[in-house]
């Protein structure tokens, strides 16, 4: 189990603990070539002082290095006088400053949103077409061709996710900057104004779930008659009714192939998770009342905004609310779906290899690279079963908490904003607001009360379920407190059934924070140690007002 974690070259590599919670597979690592490709485009059109984050998968763990658009990895900013001189004279920096000014004053993110809405429909069509293939009817050559299509699609979906990353976050950063600039307000306070602006974060397919619920009521089946039954048994009972079966099929046509825990093909899809499917159906039968938006709170925030900032505040708030849905939509309709489609095909390949005696367990194929999968299906000794067993054991047992958070020297601080050309400063200030509030962790927790960042108000008591992977989702029940390392858009299918959310990682604008606010449930993030300190099955109180979690029994 001992493997060395060393920097592969100069510069700083930082462990990503916000978007991943464990080692990823070689297949998924290969798909992430789409990340720098997409980021380069976004950073260039918005004139950011970085080129892209360069991904590195070291023993399966996801590290990134920020690559500047000038200079070499690991370079520190030159002295102030030289930096400012270069900013005035260097052609690339001057072009970048012009691009930043043009994009920011032109509110380029609104164009990105319009472009995304078109691309989203194409992503839905691509993923739907691939998932509609009847894998059982394919011979091995046909399955190999299908796997190749899924591989190309999965990489493309990662690329599509990141083309619009900058456009999705800059208006949020601009809003936070304006709202906190001279008001004395904190980012945590004003972020609550974004509640309700990203419906997809509160769950997709509401109409399809409502049709399932209506069909169940029409059949005379009550929620109480389903409570306490095993998920498979309850679903079989429901699907004996043709109208209910058809409604469930329509729901799964959209959600069934989506991963429900992250971005890696090792995560399960909703099709593989009958307990989560049943919980969503039960939730639709008696949906929680939507939390009301507090207009008095909004007026109180406005009262703190200085007169000089009011016009910019209104514009920034409107743009942030309009663009905010891009954050989660890009993950759900691109890589969360595309990776789930690929997983379905990969597992079919594993079943065939198991029938041929090549693998003892069909799921071992998950830990093969794309090239190794193809090789095994073609009868080549591309990888041994023992190698796959070793990879799976490492992935399932090596904790991200045991991995160094930084490889190489400590990261150099960025140059101060006032060193930058004036045309660059608004963009980089907005970008900095986002980066700090997505990734910043809270203070260390005490032994009695676990402390974190309060990201969604309210107090809730319930049973804690410590969920470290999708393998644990089977233990989640309606009303539980979800305690996990971090969340991604893949969790959106699970979150409607919980009563509160607690994470080890993340900041004010992390995915966990956003969805807590959208669902109107208490949320505490960035605790660092909640998954280690909270016993699974314990009764806990989650205080989303003060950022505290107390183990009651």
């Amino acid at each position: 189990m001992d493997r060395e974690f060393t920097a592969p070259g100069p510069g700083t590599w930082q462990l990503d603990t916000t978007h991943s919670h464990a080692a990823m597979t070689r297949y998924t690592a290969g798909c992430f070539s789409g990340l720098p490709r997409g980021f380069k485009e976004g950073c260039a059109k918005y004139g950011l002082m970085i080129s892209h984050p360069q991904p590195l998968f070291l023993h399966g763990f996801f590290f990134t290095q920020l690559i500047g658009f000038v200079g070499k990895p690991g370079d520190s900013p030159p002295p102030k006088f030289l930096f400012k001189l270069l900013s005035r004279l260097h052609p690339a920096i001057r072009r970048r400053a012009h691009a930043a000014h043009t994009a920011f004053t032109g509110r380029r993110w609104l164009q990105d949103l319009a472009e995304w809405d078109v691309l989203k429909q194409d992503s839905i069509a691509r993923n739907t077409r691939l998932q509609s293939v009847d894998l059982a009817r394919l011979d091995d050559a046909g399955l190999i061709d299908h796997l190749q299509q899924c591989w190309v699609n999965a990489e493309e979906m990662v690329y599509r996710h990141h083309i619009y990353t900058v456009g999705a976050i800059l208006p949020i950063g601009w809003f936070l900057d304006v709202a906190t600039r001279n008001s004395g307000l904190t980012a945590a306070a004003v972020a609550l104004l974004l509640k309700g602006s990203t419906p997809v974060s509160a769950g997709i397919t509401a109409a399809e779930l409502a049709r399932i619920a209506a069909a169940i009521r029409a059949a005379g089946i009550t929620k109480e008659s389903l409570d306490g039954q095993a998920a498979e048994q309850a679903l079989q009972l429901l699907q004996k009714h043709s109208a209910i079966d058809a409604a469930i099929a329509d729901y799964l046509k959209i959600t069934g192939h989506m991963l429900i825990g992250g971005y890696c093909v090792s995560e399960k899809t909703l099709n593989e998770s009958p307990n989560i499917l049943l919980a969503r159906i039960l939730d639709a039968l008696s949906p929680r009342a939507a939390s009301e938006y507090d207009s008095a709170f909004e007026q109180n925030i406005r009262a703190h905004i200085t007169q000089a900032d009011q016009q910019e505040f209104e514009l920034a708030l409107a743009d942030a609310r309009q663009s905010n849905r891009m954050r989660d939509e890009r993950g759900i309709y691109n890589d969360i779906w595309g990776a789930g489609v690929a997983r379905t095909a990969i597992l079919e390949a594993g079943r065939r290899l198991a029938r041929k005696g090549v693998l003892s367990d069909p799921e071992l194929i998950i830990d093969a690279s794309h090239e190794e999968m193809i090789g095994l299906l073609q009868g080549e000794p591309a990888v041994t079963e023992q190698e796959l067993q070793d990879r799976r054991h490492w992935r399932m047992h090596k904790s991200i908490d045991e991995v160094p958070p930084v490889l190489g020297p400590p990261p150099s601080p960025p140059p101060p904003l006032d060193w930058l050309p004036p045309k660059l400063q608004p963009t980089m200030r907005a970008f900095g607001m986002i980066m700090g509030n997505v990734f910043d962790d809270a203070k260390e927790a005490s032994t009695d009360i676990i402390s974190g960042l309060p990201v969604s108000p309210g107090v809730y008591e319930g049973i804690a379920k410590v969920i470290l992977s999708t393998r644990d989702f089977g233990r989640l029940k309606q009303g539980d407190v979800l305690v996990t390392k971090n969340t991604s858009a893949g969790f959106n299918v699970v979150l409607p059934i919980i009563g509160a959310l607690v994470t080890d990682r993340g900041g004010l604008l992390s995915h966990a924070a956003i969805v807590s606010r959208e669902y109107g449930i208490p949320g505490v993030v960035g605790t660092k140690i909640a998954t280690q300190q909270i016993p699974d099955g314990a009764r806990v109180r989650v205080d989303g007002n003060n950022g505290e979690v107390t183990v009651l029994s």
Side-chain angles (χ1 to χ4, degrees), residues 223-270:
K223 179 183 177 182
E224 289 70 27
S225 67
L226 297 172
D227 280 336
Q229 291 194 37
E232 292 87 348
Q233 181 182 356
L235 289 171
Q236 287 173 6
L237 171 66
L238 292 174
Q239 290 172 313
K240 288 179 180 178
H241 299 264
S242 59
I244 301 175
D245 187 42
I248 292 175
D250 287 342
Y251 172 64
L252 291 176
K253 187 181 296 183
I254 302 171
T255 61
H257 284 74
M258 291 183 183
L259 301 180
I260 60 172
Y263 296 97
C264 183
V265 295
S266 62
E267 308 286 359
K268 289 185 177 181
T269 64
L270 183 58

Side-chain angles (χ1 to χ4, degrees), residues 497-525:
I497 71 173
I498 66 173
L501 177 60
V502 180
T503 68
D504 285 352
R505 309 288 183 174
L508 174 67
L509 297 176
S510 62
H511 175 265
I514 292 170
V515 296
S516 296
R517 290 191 288 267
E518 288 299 318
Y519 285 120
I521 60 175
V524 178
V525 305

Side-chain angles (χ1 to χ4, degrees), residues 53-129:
Q54 182 60 39
L56 166 71
F57 286 87
L58 190 57
H59 309 309
F61 289 94
F62 181 27
F63 291 81
T64 59
Q65 180 182 72
L66 280 181
I67 305 296
F69 75 98
V70 292
K72 299 176 182 177
D75 286 351
S76 297
K80 180 178 180 180
F81 80 93
L82 181 56
F83 186 92
K84 299 195 79 163
L85 181 64
L86 284 171
S87 297
R88 289 197 298 269
L89 300 179
H90 197 295
I93 297 179
R94 293 179 62 184
R95 288 193 296 271
R96 212 75 171 188
H98 177 73
H101 180 71
T102 301
F104 202 89
T105 57
R107 297 151 66 206
R108 178 66 170 75
W109 43 82
L110 297 181
Q111 182 179 338
D112 275 4
L113 181 62
E115 291 176 4
W116 161 241
D117 281 340
V118 174
L119 188 63
K120 175 173 65 178
Q121 296 306 316
D122 184 67
S123 293
I124 291 171
R126 285 179 59 137
N127 287 320
T128 300
R129 178 182 62 80

